[in-house]
Amino acid sequence: MIQESFRPYDQLFLQLESYLPSAEDGAHDLSHLQRVWQNAKVIQAVEGGDLEILAAAVLLHDCVQVPKDSPLRSRAAALAADQARTALKLLQWQQDRIDIVAGAIESHSYSAGLTPTSLEGSILQDADRLDAIGYVGIARCFYTAGRMGSALYHPNQPEPIDRLADDKCFALDHFPKKLLTLCKGFRTPTGKRLAEERHEKLQEFYTGMLAEIAP
């Protein structure tokens, strides 16, 4: 069962289950939480940090979901942080630990543009962004583009050289506009190392696809 992958915090998973994302968005579902948790544990094992706080932050970081193309997208993390405060207060968590979880959630989002103020916040941000790059990141990119009704790429100029990248219309534009820039923003040394490995996969795919569709 999925909660077993969150051991030793499988009971926390069950306590927070009603707040977890549905399967409606396959890029932000329970499988995404599992992958982010695995990333967080790998980073925490080297960098330190409170693993229970990380578990709560991972479980609740997408508890309020806002579509990528919504004007409220930049508020999603703040809304999730508020919901996390409510959830953890009901579980009678100490206020200082709630604050760390909420702060980590609020700063994890790329759209929010915030700098984490705790080690746990840095780890959550790194763990979540690792899932946006590499092979899984490529799959999530095209999955999300399909949900948004985007084309694969601009038919006349697949690589945005003489035009602005428009990833709302063209999936491939999401690579130069965002995905290929993420590697520079990782917070922890372990996160940076893992990001560099996945960045190479992104770059290889992007270069290869451009070569295949070149006239």
Side-chain angles (χ1 to χ4, degrees):
M1 299 179 70
I2 189 170
Q3 70 262 24
E4 294 177 357
S5 64
F6 282 85
R7 286 180 175 170
Y9 303 110
D10 45 327
Q11 288 303 307
L12 180 62
F13 177 99
L14 294 175
Q15 289 171 328
L16 297 175
E17 192 168 14
S18 63
Y19 298 93
L20 303 187
S22 68
E24 182 180 347
D25 180 358
H28 298 87
D29 56 5
L30 293 181
S31 294
H32 169 63
L33 296 188
Q34 283 181 302
R35 294 191 301 272
V36 174
W37 175 235
Q38 291 302 316
N39 293 338
K41 287 194 295 182
V42 169
I43 297 172
Q44 187 272 345
V46 179
E47 306 294 339
D50 188 305
L51 198 57
E52 184 183 38
I53 284 177
L54 276 171
V58 169
L59 287 167
L60 295 170
H61 80 279
D62 281 336
C63 64
V64 175
Q65 294 187 311
V66 179
K68 288 284 187 182
D69 53 355
S70 169
L72 295 176
R73 179 61 187 175
S74 63
R75 289 281 301 148
L79 295 172
D82 289 343
Q83 184 71 280
R85 289 182 183 278
T86 298
L88 295 177
K89 282 180 181 177
L90 290 174
L91 296 182
Q92 299 183 332
W93 273 44
Q94 294 179 352
Q95 187 61 50
D96 59 338
R97 295 174 69 76
I98 292 175
D99 290 342
I100 296 173
V101 172
I105 291 172
E106 188 165 9
S107 64
H108 90 276
S109 169
Y110 181 88
S111 302
L114 300 176
T115 300
T117 58
S118 67
L119 175 57
E120 291 79 11
S122 293
I123 293 174
L124 176 65
Q125 189 180 95
D126 282 2
D128 187 59
R129 292 187 185 183
L130 280 172
D131 204 49
I133 58 179
Y135 296 132
V136 172
I138 294 168
R140 292 178 72 208
C141 171
F142 285 99
Y143 169 87
T144 300
R147 283 172 55 88
M148 293 171 59
S150 303
L152 285 178
Y153 55 86
H154 192 291
N156 299 321
Q157 192 180 93
E159 185 176 12
I161 298 174
D162 299 322
R163 63 178 181 84
L164 294 176
D166 183 359
D167 57 357
K168 292 184 178 179
C169 292
F170 309 109
L172 198 60
D173 281 13
H174 197 53
F175 284 73
K177 185 166 185 179
K178 179 181 177 182
L179 298 185
L180 289 170
T181 70
L182 288 179
C183 185
K184 299 178 182 178
F186 279 71
R187 303 289 176 182
T188 67
T190 304
K192 289 177 182 178
R193 176 179 59 79
L194 296 171
E196 288 169 358
E197 295 171 1
R198 298 195 185 196
H199 177 83
E200 291 180 5
K201 298 178 176 69
L202 275 184
Q203 186 64 65
E204 180 182 2
F205 174 87
Y206 182 65
T207 302
M209 186 163 176
L210 287 174
E212 284 191 4
I213 62 181

